[in-house]
Amino acid sequence: MISNMEYSVLTSESVTEGHPDKVCDQISDGILDEIMRLDPSARVACETFISVGFVIVGGEITTSAHIDVPTIARGVLKEIGYTSEKYGFNYKTCGVLNAIGKQSPDIAQGVDVGGAGDQGMMIGYACRETVELMPLPIMQSHRMCKKLSELRKSKALSYLGPDGKSQATVEYKMGVPQRVDSVIVSTQHTEEILDSTGNRITQDAIDEIIDKVVRSVIDPELLDENTKYYVNPTGKFVIGGPQSDTGMTGRKIVVDTYGGLVPHGGGAFSGKDSTKVDRSAAYAARYVAKNIVASGVANRCAVSLAYAIGIAEPTAIMINTFGTGKMKDRDIIGLVRKHFDLTPNGIIETLDLRRPIFRKTASYGHFGRNDPDFTWERIDVAEDISRSAGL
């Protein structure tokens, strides 16, 4: 967690859209989107598992829509770039197993009347470290992974494969970021950039990746002569994707949120419709936290929401401004109750969450995105909060 100590370092990682876990998130959300397009009131809890040569899709779905699960899964794989055996996986030849059932009627009877689709605690966070009001390390990591994908798809670095990771370690003083201490980029690639030993990529390729991936997205004022760069630290990364590792929906929840700089509620997002507060209330908590910070009430804010299955109102609302608030945290809770409807139906209506918008949330983070479909990123309540706080 971010500290106000004189000195600290904080690290966050991201992964590309071709990482096996992120492939599964995108397939699950691709199925959710198609169902939302046809039946916005459907109940969806979709899980995906991927390994060498096959995909398994399961979960509990209740809908009037008829969807072609294998076609959706193959379409996602194609768009990501798993189109050739040279990357260890081909959307045309892989097997796809559909193992989807219906939502339990015991759960449905509580959700049908507007109650939460599950119990649990959801966390939202915002801070003034970046223009997105997000922590700096996770935003840097996302940008590096997005740049890897852009360079691969544009053929600017034609040797890149779909799988990849990044990591950024930022040095802080008194809770304020000062410099980037180290960066890591691990990217799948073809054999054409291996050196004469066949066990390492060439120095030219390393330098090119540092220049075109790292330095192109990280503020040069944060990089100095002591910044450490690690590119494919094992030497090579030819075998990647589902050929090298299994993937499952929901295994990158810290990548999805704030990079480990604040607690996580525990629930995954992808594949779930918005009656599941794991997703919708986490979006609402970010919406609340971002508007509090944008209002000027605090420079940092974590919002925790707790729910009971079948009950509409949150069982608890907690605020932590880490000593940066212009009023007491317990008084900010009063502002939250005044300005936000945090029932599942209220969240869904406010954020317009019965739309097919979720596939694109499933890679490069659910928060800090400049996209009008990411309604939880709006700061449209900030002025009202500021007035109520008397600022």
Side-chain angles (χ1 to χ4, degrees):
M1 183 180 292
I2 294 175
S3 169
N4 289 326
M5 293 171 54
E6 183 176 352
Y7 171 84
S8 59
V9 290
L10 297 167
T11 301
S12 295
E13 72 156 343
S14 184
V15 298
T16 66
E17 64 205 71
H19 184 283
D21 293 331
K22 277 289 140 206
V23 172
C24 292
D25 286 344
Q26 290 170 88
I27 291 173
S28 294
D29 272 338
I31 289 167
L32 172 63
D33 276 358
E34 181 61 11
I35 293 172
M36 287 290 102
R37 187 179 69 81
L38 299 169
D39 179 14
S41 63
R43 304 280 167 73
V44 182
C46 181
E47 307 280 347
T48 304
F49 171 83
I50 194 168
S51 189
V52 181
F54 71 95
V55 177
I56 300 175
V57 181
E60 299 175 342
I61 298 178
T62 302
T63 180
S64 61
H66 297 281
I67 61 167
D68 186 338
V69 169
T71 296
I72 295 169
R74 293 184 198 279
V76 171
L77 289 161
K78 180 182 180 182
E79 289 181 32
I80 291 170
Y82 283 112
T83 58
S84 170
E85 277 69 20
K86 70 179 179 179
Y87 300 130
F89 205 89
N90 191 329
Y91 79 98
K92 293 180 181 178
T93 57
C94 67
V96 181
L97 173 64
N98 181 353
I100 293 173
K102 290 187 176 182
Q103 184 183 59
S104 163
D106 297 342
I107 295 174
Q109 68 180 358
V111 179
D112 289 343
V113 294
D118 205 350
Q119 69 176 40
M121 181 178 68
M122 296 80 208
I123 306 292
Y125 180 73
C127 62
R128 293 197 175 274
E129 290 181 29
T130 63
V131 295
E132 298 88 358
L133 303 186
M134 286 284 288
L136 181 61
I138 188 64
M139 294 306 295
Q140 290 178 330
S141 297
H142 285 325
R143 288 175 186 135
M144 286 189 284
C145 279
K146 288 181 75 174
K147 180 58 69 172
L148 280 173
S149 180
E150 290 168 9
L151 293 169
R152 171 176 61 89
K153 291 182 174 180
S154 69
K155 307 297 184 183
L157 295 183
S158 59
Y159 52 78
L160 295 178
D163 197 358
K165 291 184 174 184
S166 69
Q167 188 167 293
T169 298
V170 176
E171 180 182 307
Y172 287 73
K173 290 183 180 179
M174 303 303 294
V176 179
Q178 302 294 312
R179 58 181 292 272
V180 174
D181 183 72
S182 66
V183 293
I184 303 171
V185 177
S186 295
T187 178
Q188 186 183 15
H189 58 85
T190 57
E191 294 183 348
E192 66 188 87
I193 58 168
L194 294 177
D195 65 14
S196 59
T197 69
N199 294 316
R200 303 193 67 82
I201 63 174
T202 64
Q203 188 61 47
D204 286 345
I206 291 173
D207 292 342
E208 187 172 42
I209 290 168
I210 292 172
D211 182 55
K212 293 188 176 182
V213 176
V214 180
R215 293 197 174 111
S216 69
V217 299
I218 293 181
D219 183 349
E221 293 186 1
L222 295 172
L223 301 171
D224 58 33
E225 66 276 7
N226 295 316
T227 300
K228 299 176 284 292
Y229 302 91
Y230 302 94
V231 177
N232 285 17
T234 65
K236 66 177 182 178
F237 189 179
V238 173
I239 300 172
Q243 184 182 20
S244 66
D245 195 7
T246 59
M248 294 183 68
T249 299
R251 285 206 302 203
K252 287 291 177 285
I253 57 177
V254 173
V255 171
D256 285 341
T257 54
Y258 308 101
L261 273 66
V262 291
H264 192 287
F269 304 155
S270 288
K272 297 176 181 177
D273 78 89
S274 295
T275 64
K276 280 72 173 175
V277 285
D278 279 344
R279 179 170 222 154
S280 56
Y283 290 177
R286 163 66 176 171
Y287 182 51
V288 172
K290 189 173 183 182
N291 276 273
I292 289 171
V293 171
S295 75
V297 168
N299 289 330
R300 289 166 53 199
C301 182
V303 177
S304 301
L305 305 176
Y307 290 84
I309 191 167
I311 305 300
E313 292 288 344
T315 59
I317 300 174
M318 294 152 279
I319 298 289
N320 185 355
T321 59
F322 307 93
T324 70
K326 291 187 170 73
M327 55 195 302
K328 292 180 180 179
D329 291 351
R330 66 173 177 266
D331 294 330
I332 297 175
I333 293 174
L335 294 180
V336 172
R337 293 188 184 279
K338 176 179 179 180
H339 290 287
F340 298 93
D341 182 348
L342 296 173
T343 64
N345 284 343
I347 294 168
I348 290 169
E349 182 177 350
T350 299
L351 301 181
D352 196 10
L353 295 179
R354 293 196 185 277
R355 296 174 295 142
I357 60 170
F358 298 108
R359 159 86 191 278
K360 58 185 172 181
T361 69
S363 49
Y364 312 118
H366 292 245
F367 308 122
R369 305 277 290 276
N370 183 21
D371 184 312
D373 284 334
F374 286 58
T375 51
W376 48 94
E377 292 297 309
R378 299 183 313 217
I379 53 172
D380 52 343
V381 191
E383 287 189 13
D384 292 337
I385 293 173
S386 182
R387 280 194 294 268
S388 292
L391 298 183

